[in-house]
Amino acid sequence: MRTAFNARLATIDDQVLAMARHVRTAMHAATKALLETDLHLAESVITDDADLDNRAHEVEESVYRLLAQQQPVAQDLRFLLAALHNASALERMGDLVMHIAKTARMRYPMAVVPTELRGIIVDMGTVASQMVANTAVALARQDLTTARSLRDMDREMDRLHRELFIIVLSPAWEYGVQAAVDITLLSRYFERFADHAVTIGDRVVHVATGASTEPVVPRQVNGPVNPR
Amino acid sequence: MRTAFNARLATIDDQVLAMARHVRTAMHAATKALLETDLHLAESVITDDADLDNRAHEVEESVYRLLAQQQPVAQDLRFLLAALHNASALERMGDLVMHIAKTARMRYPMAVVPTELRGIIVDMGTVASQMVANTAVALARQDLTTARSLRDMDREMDRLHRELFIIVLSPAWEYGVQAAVDITLLSRYFERFADHAVTIGDRVVHVATGASTEPVVPRQVNGPVNPR
């Protein structure tokens, strides 16, 4: 009985991990589509998001059935509630990635990102990809060091977010209102993506230790939304 | 035993409902602070958000304990998982309200919203307040008609969101880049607020009927984020 139960927990673990891998691939592709003005790649990111939504729904169903049929307590219960949270966070991260791809598609064949800002957007994409890769490592190995590293990476994302706003709002900005609006939203998507990754890291710590230094309800962490 | 269990369910229900009332009051105050350039009111919204975070944390703890100590199934289990979701959604709605108040504070003593756009922002604030009021009614009375009405209200919010972008991105825009960036973010806060309210309505329906027409994982509903 216990073995069957453990097998079902492991399946849920695999489902969440597969979602993290999906989001990692999608973030890499969306940033590439944005920076290389690649319509085909943008379209594929947008189309594939439906798979992620379905996966999140499957995790929720699996958790619900397991809670209803078994009486998990302590760490197993924490694990299942964390899986519920993490699937929801990853589904939302996928939405944000899709919005990045939609921005690329909306302006095609024009580039969204002015040359001057490409470096920062490249960095944001790199940090975002690393963060979701780290959530996958933290989830797969219950690796608390990696889980906790996400807060440091989020601080780096917040720094990039602020740097971008300083440039957009400087008197020297020469790309007009539409580019400013596009960059504002893009920057917000990356920043929110990072916030969600942090909440997954926090849950990994919570499942392993039963402790949380922060309320474990998803929330904005560190990130001033109006960083100006 | 069952009576004690029901009393604990009722307490959780009250906690979530109190959160909805908090968010309704905060949304009203934040929109007023924004439109009337009221620094004191903006500050109070920002300060009070910590209470909401604590309430969300309390709901999560209560749900966790009840799941661990009892073996709720069927509707009770759906109710508890919905409470977990709804507390998280309301906490996030509170964050978005706080960001609106922070925008007002950041520009004080200047007004954030150009006169031409005040009407749309007033409407967004009204729709947002009505939506969270409706989530409270739907939660308190398990009122499915009210719960389902949230999707229609969300469509109205999306329409206002698009209308705002059309004005900001028109060649006639005369308020500069900073105002465009501020309005872009504000509009996004209202639009996301509405999306979260929809997910609460969907959960109310799910708890009452066991059915969901949509994946019940929180997701962007209807709302094009780049509505242009």
Side-chain angles (χ1 to χ4, degrees):
Chain A
M1 189 63 186
R2 179 72 199 173
T3 308
F5 178 69
N6 283 347
R8 288 173 71 182
L9 289 182
T11 301
I12 291 172
D13 211 12
D14 288 345
Q15 286 174 314
V16 174
L17 203 52
M19 288 185 72
R21 294 201 183 102
H22 177 124
V23 172
R24 185 182 56 184
T25 304
M27 174 50 94
H28 183 77
T31 308
K32 193 167 189 283
L34 181 71
L35 290 166
E36 299 181 7
T37 322
D38 185 333
L39 182 63
H40 179 71
L41 195 55
E43 293 279 12
S44 75
V45 170
I46 295 161
T47 306
D48 289 353
D49 186 62
D51 288 347
L52 196 68
D53 295 349
N54 290 334
R55 285 169 191 262
H57 192 48
E58 281 168 17
V59 171
E60 175 148 6
E61 290 293 316
S62 301
V63 169
Y64 176 82
R65 277 195 301 271
L66 211 45
L67 287 173
Q69 293 164 6
Q70 312 278 340
Q71 292 83 38
V73 293
Q75 196 180 25
D76 290 340
L77 179 57
R78 285 202 300 276
F79 168 81
L80 287 171
L81 295 185
L84 210 53
H85 166 84
N86 293 341
S88 170
L90 287 164
E91 193 272 339
R92 184 70 204 135
M93 289 163 81
D95 283 346
L96 292 163
V97 169
M98 183 176 63
H99 297 331
I100 293 170
K102 281 187 173 175
T103 306
R105 181 175 70 176
M106 182 173 55
R107 297 290 173 234
Y108 184 86
M110 302 297 290
V112 180
V113 182
T115 309
E116 184 190 348
L117 297 183
R118 285 180 65 88
I120 301 180
I121 296 288
V122 167
D123 288 349
M124 289 182 119
T126 303
V127 173
S129 293
Q130 284 175 346
M131 287 183 83
V132 66
N134 278 19
T135 65
V137 169
L139 286 165
R141 301 185 200 155
Q142 260 102 70
D143 179 337
L144 302 195
T145 306
T146 304
R148 291 189 176 110
S149 73
L150 288 160
R151 285 189 173 268
D152 292 330
M153 300 172 87
D154 185 48
R155 273 189 280 278
E156 173 62 9
M157 184 67 93
D158 287 343
R159 193 189 64 70
L160 293 166
H161 186 49
R162 283 191 295 272
E163 197 178 326
L164 212 49
F165 271 97
I166 288 167
I167 297 171
V168 169
L169 294 175
S170 84
W173 180 257
E174 58 183 294
Y175 307 100
V177 169
Q178 180 175 290
V181 166
D182 286 347
I183 294 292
T184 297
L185 288 174
L186 280 175
S187 189
R188 174 122 179 109
Y189 302 149
F190 281 108
E191 186 255 340
R192 286 296 303 152
F193 183 95
D195 287 342
H196 285 291
V198 168
T199 71
I200 296 174
D202 287 355
R203 295 277 166 163
V204 169
V205 174
H206 180 66
V207 170
T209 68
S212 63
T213 52
E214 306 271 334
V216 285
V217 170
R219 53 178 304 203
Q220 168 123 2
V221 185
N222 293 328
V225 173
N226 280 314
R228 296 150 285 161
Chain B
M1 190 61 189
R2 178 72 199 173
T3 308
F5 177 70
N6 283 347
R8 289 173 71 182
L9 289 181
T11 300
I12 291 172
D13 211 13
D14 288 345
Q15 286 174 313
V16 174
L17 203 52
M19 288 185 71
R21 294 201 182 101
H22 177 125
V23 173
R24 185 183 54 185
T25 304
M27 175 49 95
H28 183 76
T31 307
K32 192 166 188 284
L34 181 73
L35 290 166
E36 299 181 8
T37 321
D38 185 333
L39 182 62
H40 179 73
L41 194 55
E43 293 279 10
S44 75
V45 170
I46 295 162
T47 305
D48 289 352
D49 186 62
D51 289 346
L52 196 69
D53 294 349
N54 290 334
R55 285 169 191 262
H57 192 47
E58 282 168 17
V59 171
E60 176 148 6
E61 290 293 315
S62 302
V63 169
Y64 176 81
R65 278 195 301 273
L66 213 45
L67 288 174
Q69 292 164 6
Q70 311 278 341
Q71 292 83 38
V73 294
Q75 195 178 26
D76 290 339
L77 178 58
R78 286 202 301 274
F79 168 81
L80 287 171
L81 294 185
L84 209 56
H85 166 85
N86 293 341
S88 170
L90 287 163
E91 194 271 339
R92 185 69 205 138
M93 289 163 82
D95 283 346
L96 292 163
V97 169
M98 183 175 65
H99 296 331
I100 293 170
K102 281 186 173 175
T103 306
R105 181 174 73 175
M106 181 172 57
R107 297 289 173 235
Y108 183 86
M110 303 296 290
V112 180
V113 182
T115 309
E116 184 191 349
L117 297 183
R118 286 180 65 88
I120 301 180
I121 296 288
V122 168
D123 288 350
M124 288 182 119
T126 302
V127 173
S129 293
Q130 284 174 347
M131 286 183 83
V132 67
N134 278 20
T135 65
V137 169
L139 286 165
R141 302 186 200 155
Q142 260 103 72
D143 179 338
L144 302 195
T145 306
T146 305
R148 291 189 177 111
S149 74
L150 288 159
R151 287 190 172 266
D152 292 329
M153 299 173 88
D154 185 49
R155 273 189 280 278
E156 173 62 9
M157 184 67 93
D158 287 343
R159 193 190 63 72
L160 293 165
H161 186 48
R162 282 191 295 271
E163 196 178 326
L164 212 50
F165 270 95
I166 288 167
I167 296 171
V168 170
L169 293 175
S170 85
W173 179 255
E174 58 182 293
Y175 307 100
V177 169
Q178 180 176 293
V181 166
D182 286 347
I183 294 293
T184 297
L185 288 173
L186 279 176
S187 189
R188 172 116 180 117
Y189 302 149
F190 281 108
E191 184 256 337
R192 287 295 303 152
F193 183 96
D195 287 343
H196 285 290
V198 168
T199 71
I200 296 175
D202 286 354
R203 294 279 167 162
V204 169
V205 174
H206 180 66
V207 170
T209 65
S212 63
T213 51
E214 305 273 333
V216 287
V217 171
R219 53 180 301 206
Q220 168 123 1
V221 185
N222 292 330
V225 172
N226 280 314
R228 296 151 282 160

